[in-house]
Amino acid sequence: MKIASIHIYSHDGRRRDLPFETEGLNIITGLASTGKSSLSDIVEYCMGEADCKIAEGFIREKVSWFAVIFQFPGQQVFVAKPNPKPGRVQCSLAMLLRGAQISIPAFENLAHNGGDELVQQVLSSMLGIPETKTAVPERSSRVSYSVNVKHTTYYLFQKQGLVANKDLLFYRQSEEHLLRLSATPSRCCLGSRSLPTWRRRPIVGPHSVS
């Protein structure tokens, strides 16, 4: 899966497009506080993340919809999500389109036809992530959950503060509740097709696998 383009739609219907080369390395440069760091937040949001991590400010004030076109071999997936309403940080509504070569929808044609669950299901399936539900011991307070594309974000994004941090390696690694959740997604993202075949060993660190 590669990022073919990122799009933002203003409240008055105007659209800003940021195309990428799907072969090779893309480097984005610009002055400070011009929105570069928000691009990864837009991508994560359009991968089926309910929380919109784009900081409050100019972008959140001016943008109505965020969208990304993901490129797969022979097929594209267009995902667009509305900007959460003022004062809110979550939105689970989404518009999803699939096709060999997607034409970017006009503002007036944007309408949600599903939600984050659909986005996660489609992207996970196209990435080949196996349908795996985590095992939870009896009488455990933990809740079982399905591994999906959302769990790959730990390995995809490196924020500016993370790059300079000598104690952390993965995105959101410092969030305590994620330390307990990361082992099973790690195994699936590293290519395990049959989770029960993994031999259980003590977990040394938050991202250790057997």
Side-chain angles (χ1 to χ4, degrees):
M1 182 176 81
K2 300 179 180 180
I3 301 170
S5 54
I6 295 175
H7 312 274
I8 54 176
Y9 296 79
S10 65
H11 294 285
D12 60 9
R14 289 179 295 171
R15 188 184 76 219
R16 182 76 179 268
D17 303 324
L18 179 60
F20 291 93
E21 293 290 339
T22 55
E23 300 295 335
L25 175 68
N26 291 270
I27 299 175
I28 300 172
T29 62
L31 299 175
S33 302
T34 54
K36 300 186 301 297
S37 299
S38 296
L39 294 176
S40 62
D41 294 327
I42 294 173
V43 174
E44 183 179 6
Y45 185 51
C46 290
M47 287 176 64
E49 173 61 56
D51 292 338
C52 182
K53 299 181 178 66
I54 303 162
E56 292 286 349
F58 184 82
I59 296 177
R60 290 290 303 276
E61 291 174 4
K62 300 296 183 181
V63 174
S64 177
W65 285 72
F66 300 98
V68 177
I69 293 181
F70 298 101
Q71 181 69 56
F72 292 87
Q75 191 171 53
Q76 292 183 331
V77 177
F78 171 88
V79 178
K81 293 191 62 178
N83 188 359
K85 294 181 179 180
R88 298 185 180 181
V89 296
Q90 289 189 330
C91 179
S92 294
L93 301 176
M95 176 180 179
L96 187 144
L97 301 173
R98 296 174 62 175
Q101 191 69 37
I102 292 177
S103 297
I104 306 167
F107 175 77
E108 56 269 20
N109 294 327
L110 294 176
H112 61 84
N113 57 5
D116 288 333
E117 186 174 347
L118 174 64
V119 174
Q120 294 166 12
Q121 181 183 23
V122 170
L123 295 182
S124 298
S125 174
M126 297 190 71
L127 281 170
I129 297 176
E131 294 184 10
T132 303
K133 205 167 183 66
T134 58
V136 177
E138 291 185 14
R139 301 177 183 176
S140 172
S141 60
R142 290 184 294 160
V143 177
S144 179
Y145 63 93
S146 296
V147 178
N148 57 54
V149 68
K150 189 168 70 170
H151 300 104
T152 67
T153 59
Y154 309 143
Y155 317 105
L156 298 179
F157 301 118
Q158 282 195 314
K159 304 292 184 178
Q160 183 175 350
L162 179 60
V163 173
N165 193 313
K166 64 180 181 180
D167 299 317
L168 299 176
L169 179 61
F170 298 110
Y171 175 52
R172 299 179 67 186
Q173 184 181 342
S174 61
E175 297 180 31
E176 184 177 351
H177 72 285
L178 290 178
L179 299 183
R180 300 189 298 271
L181 300 179
S182 59
T184 297
S186 296
R187 296 168 179 174
C188 291
C189 293
L190 288 173
S192 173
R193 289 291 180 173
S194 179
L195 196 61
T197 64
W198 287 83
R199 183 158 57 91
R200 295 186 177 276
R201 294 177 182 170
I203 296 190
V204 177
H207 293 272
S208 298
V209 296
S210 54

